[in-house]
Amino acid sequence: MTPSSLYLLTGASRGMGLAMARQLLQPGHTLITLSRQPSAELAQAAATAGATLDQWTQDLADAVQAAARLRQWLEAVPAGRFASATLINNAGVIPPIAPLSASGPTALVQALRVGLEAPLLLTGAFLGATGDWQVPRKVLNISSGLGRRAMASQAAYCAAKAGMDHFTRCVALDEAARPHGARVCSLAPGVIDTDMQSQLRGADPARFPDAHNFAALKDEGRLTSPEDAARRVLAWLDRKDFGEQPVADVREA
């Protein structure tokens, strides 16, 4: 059997994650998605494309279980099965938009578990289980400009993305010291026309002072479609210099 390229993608059920999954469904690719619900659309697309797709039903709020499942699966992979391996941590949660003082703990914990704890644990499981693989390995963490710029009423989301950026910097140092270390990058994908953008521009301005700025992005046509954003992100993943900047922005291309 000719070795295929392995892609592991979280948050593939909608938005840019779904668009990336569709674009990764190519002959010679094996795509495993981790989402709360499987997608009939993706299953059909995989059959049409002749690609290998395995959809794991996985609640990323239980990051310990998700990471253990991933590690166990990777450790059982026969040597030489894949020509390369890539983990894309895309899933994220935006909690109800409100100042931290008015935010409920359950929503805050959910946002941090899915947006920071899960990527960190999955990255550790991926790198640990594939450390002896003599093939190219990459970790792409989908970050946000809000991980690098503070915004009122977005403490949990901003904290999750800032944490993602910084743990990626740390992992880059770890992997640079290894003989066959993985290449890692935390990449901001730009502003995308997704459900998150709808939430932000539709928020009560009294609770979210930047609501008008997000409404302007939509009104002025400055949002990127999920499909175009996915193409730009995957193009960055394919760059020869991927990982030289552990924290980057797709708009820097």
Side-chain angles (χ1 to χ4, degrees):
M1 179 183 294
T2 302
S4 63
S5 296
L6 172 65
Y7 292 90
L8 302 146
L9 172 65
T10 69
S13 60
R14 60 183 180 175
M16 189 180 73
L18 177 59
M20 282 194 290
R22 285 196 295 255
Q23 292 172 31
L24 287 169
L25 289 174
Q26 302 176 22
H29 286 184
T30 294
L31 174 63
I32 297 176
T33 61
L34 291 78
S35 301
R36 282 182 296 176
Q37 300 293 333
S39 167
E41 176 186 345
L42 277 184
Q44 181 58 50
T48 301
T52 301
L53 171 68
D54 190 2
Q55 300 189 75
W56 293 4
T57 301
Q58 182 66 57
D59 184 359
L60 294 174
D62 188 350
V64 172
Q65 190 272 334
R69 180 182 184 182
L70 177 61
R71 181 182 287 269
Q72 182 180 37
W73 186 87
L74 288 168
E75 288 177 342
V77 170
R81 172 68 182 86
F82 296 111
S84 64
T86 300
L87 170 65
I88 304 175
N89 284 307
N90 168 71
V93 172
I94 180 170
I97 300 168
L100 184 61
S101 58
S103 299
T106 300
L108 295 174
V109 167
Q110 175 83 356
L112 290 171
R113 284 180 173 168
V114 175
L116 179 56
E117 184 178 286
L120 190 148
L121 268 62
L122 289 172
T123 297
F126 173 80
L127 295 174
T130 63
D132 293 331
W133 292 19
Q134 303 298 305
V135 301
R137 295 174 301 136
K138 297 179 180 178
V139 176
L140 173 60
N141 291 324
I142 303 301
S143 185
S144 169
L146 294 186
R148 303 155 203 181
R149 177 172 66 89
M151 181 169 287
S153 298
Q154 284 296 292
Y157 186 82
C158 289
K161 294 304 184 182
M164 172 182 278
D165 285 350
H166 211 48
F167 92 67
T168 303
R169 293 184 181 99
C170 296
V171 172
L173 295 174
D174 294 339
E175 293 300 303
R178 296 175 60 87
H180 301 285
R183 307 185 79 178
V184 301
C185 180
S186 187
L187 182 67
V191 286
I192 308 166
D193 198 1
T194 61
D195 291 343
M196 175 183 168
Q197 286 288 325
S198 297
Q199 287 179 262
L200 293 171
R201 64 177 175 264
D204 179 359
R207 295 169 71 84
F208 184 49
D210 285 282
H212 67 285
N213 292 328
F214 286 92
L217 290 174
K218 178 70 170 180
D219 294 342
E220 296 168 9
R222 290 190 282 154
L223 296 177
T224 305
S225 71
E227 293 73 23
D228 285 344
R231 277 189 286 272
R232 294 174 69 183
V233 165
L234 294 177
W236 192 284
L237 181 64
D238 286 339
R239 287 170 54 142
K240 291 183 179 180
D241 64 350
F242 177 85
E244 289 185 8
Q245 293 178 266
V247 175
D249 191 309
V250 76
R251 290 164 290 190
E252 296 168 356

